[in-house]
């Protein structure tokens, strides 16, 4: 049994019951495929991804669903399989032409890269590393309200790694830029692929060292310290941000 991870306008196509269609169930969609490929390059007979024409009408029994929220229907394992499939689809979609000479690229299965037909340049899947950090001070956690968050929602601070930075340097810089807080004792927590669209989230825990909060209003509208019983609304589920917050609550709650 193999699954088909089909995408249209950034959304994942699921069956009406919220499950991922199998290869035998998508005959009505194949004619509208723009591109397709293997989810696991070492398994050519396994799961597949496909990009659907933007205007193609879905047959009865299928729905287009937001990828970020589909984990409640498909489960954590399939949520990350969807992410992997989308990453490959989006990478090939954005690398149809060579950035060096402008000629057409084709997928080279041996290299796992897009290859220029003219100059031979190779373009491998792009992965953007980003840090996300739980900063603690005297039993409280530092949370910020992002400029694009719904009202009342907060999260731990995060940001993309810049050229020439170590991960620890990125943690220190991002926290300072968004809150004017200096941190110390930066420790690795865990990592997670996050295909929105192509990130690798690297989680850390750090301690406050100095400084008073002064939020950077371009990225966060508010930054505060919260005790475990004061945690506001946050994005729950499979995200590493939720895991960091819930780990903090567990470690600082007395039973």
């Amino acid at each position: 049994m193999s699954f088909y991870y089909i995408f249209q306008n950034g959304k994942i196509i699921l069956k009406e019951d919220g499950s991922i269609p199998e290869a035998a169930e998508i005959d009505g969609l194949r004619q509208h495929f723009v591109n397709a490929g293997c989810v696991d390059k070492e398994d050519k007979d396994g799961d597949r991804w496909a990009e659907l024409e933007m205007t193609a009408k879905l047959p009865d029994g299928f729905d287009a669903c937001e990828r970020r929220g589909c984990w409640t229907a498909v489960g954590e394992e399939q949520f990350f399989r969807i992410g992997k499939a989308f990453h490959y689809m989006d990478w090939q979609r954005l690398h149809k032409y060579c950035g060096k000479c402008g000629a057409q690229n084709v997928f080279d299965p041996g290299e796992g890269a897009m290859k220029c037909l003219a100059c031979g340049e190779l373009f491998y899947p792009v992965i953007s590393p980003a840090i996300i950090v739980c900063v603690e001070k005297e039993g409280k956690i530092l949370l910020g309200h992002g400029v694009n968050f719904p009202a009342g929602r907060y999260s731990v601070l995060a940001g993309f790694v810049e050229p020439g930075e170590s991960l620890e340097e990125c943690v220190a810089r991002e926290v300072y830029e968004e809150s004017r807080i200096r941190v110390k004792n930066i420790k690795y927590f865990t990592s997670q692929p996050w295909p929105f669209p192509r990130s690798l989230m690297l989680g850390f825990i750090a301690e406050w060292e100095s400084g008073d909060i002064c939020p950077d209003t371009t990225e966060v509208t508010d930054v505060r310290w919260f005790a475990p019983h004061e945690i506001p609304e946050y994005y729950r589920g499979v995200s590493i941000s939720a895991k960091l917050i819930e780990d903090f609550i567990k470690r600082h709650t007395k039973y």
Side-chain angles (χ1 to χ4, degrees):
M1 178 180 68
S2 59
F3 293 106
Y4 247 99
Y5 301 90
I6 304 171
F7 302 97
Q8 184 182 46
N9 301 323
K11 295 183 177 181
I12 177 70
I13 307 303
L14 300 177
K15 296 193 296 184
E16 283 185 334
D17 63 1
S19 62
I20 298 162
E22 298 174 24
E25 299 174 313
I26 54 94
D27 287 343
L29 292 169
R30 291 181 190 273
Q31 60 182 319
H32 301 295
F33 285 178
V34 176
N35 197 7
C38 301
V39 177
D40 304 296
K41 62 181 181 181
E42 70 277 4
D43 185 5
K44 296 179 175 55
D45 297 320
D47 297 339
R48 305 274 295 175
W49 61 262
E51 180 185 4
L52 202 61
E53 292 175 352
M54 295 178 63
T55 58
K57 184 178 179 180
L58 298 180
D60 292 341
F62 291 91
D63 289 315
C65 303
E66 294 291 344
R67 291 180 294 114
R68 190 178 293 268
C70 73
W71 69 270
T72 56
V74 302
E76 184 170 349
E77 180 179 354
Q78 284 292 359
F79 174 80
F80 287 108
R81 290 290 287 172
I82 289 170
K84 181 178 180 179
F86 178 84
H87 196 151
Y88 277 122
M89 183 280 297
D90 192 54
W91 161 62
Q92 290 200 24
R93 181 177 64 86
L94 295 175
H95 289 79
K96 293 179 180 179
Y97 300 97
C98 178
K100 183 178 180 181
C101 73
Q104 186 176 359
N105 287 333
V106 296
F107 180 65
D108 183 331
E111 283 287 343
M114 296 296 284
K115 184 175 183 178
C116 178
L117 291 173
C119 70
E121 190 76 14
L122 294 171
F123 299 90
Y124 293 92
V126 176
I127 300 173
S128 302
I131 63 88
I132 186 164
V133 57
C134 166
V135 180
E136 301 179 18
K137 176 187 178 184
E138 299 173 351
K140 294 186 176 183
I141 185 173
L142 189 69
L143 299 178
H145 178 268
V147 293
N148 296 316
F149 284 5
R153 177 174 291 179
Y154 283 72
S155 184
V156 288
L157 303 186
F160 286 101
V161 181
E162 294 184 352
E165 272 187 330
S166 69
L167 297 175
E168 291 79 8
E169 287 170 340
C170 182
V171 169
R173 175 184 57 76
E174 283 291 345
V175 172
Y176 182 77
E177 286 181 354
E178 295 187 9
S179 69
R180 289 299 184 263
I181 296 294
R182 298 290 186 185
V183 295
K184 63 181 180 180
N185 297 333
I186 300 168
K187 297 179 181 179
Y188 177 73
F189 179 72
T190 192
S191 65
Q192 178 185 73
W194 197 246
F196 298 99
R198 60 190 70 87
S199 299
L200 173 63
M201 302 301 295
L202 300 138
F204 292 85
I205 297 174
E207 298 176 14
W208 171 87
E209 182 176 53
S210 64
D212 296 320
I213 294 172
C214 181
D216 167 26
T217 54
T218 61
E219 295 187 60
V220 289
T221 61
D222 186 32
V223 181
R224 303 184 198 176
W225 295 107
F226 294 93
H229 64 281
E230 300 171 332
I231 302 294
E233 169 62 25
Y234 62 93
Y235 178 78
R236 289 169 169 78
V238 298
S239 71
I240 199 170
S241 60
K243 296 180 189 301
L244 282 165
I245 293 171
E246 289 158 7
D247 174 75
F248 167 81
I249 294 171
K250 183 178 179 179
R251 289 187 289 106
H252 291 272
T253 300
K254 296 181 180 179
Y255 296 96

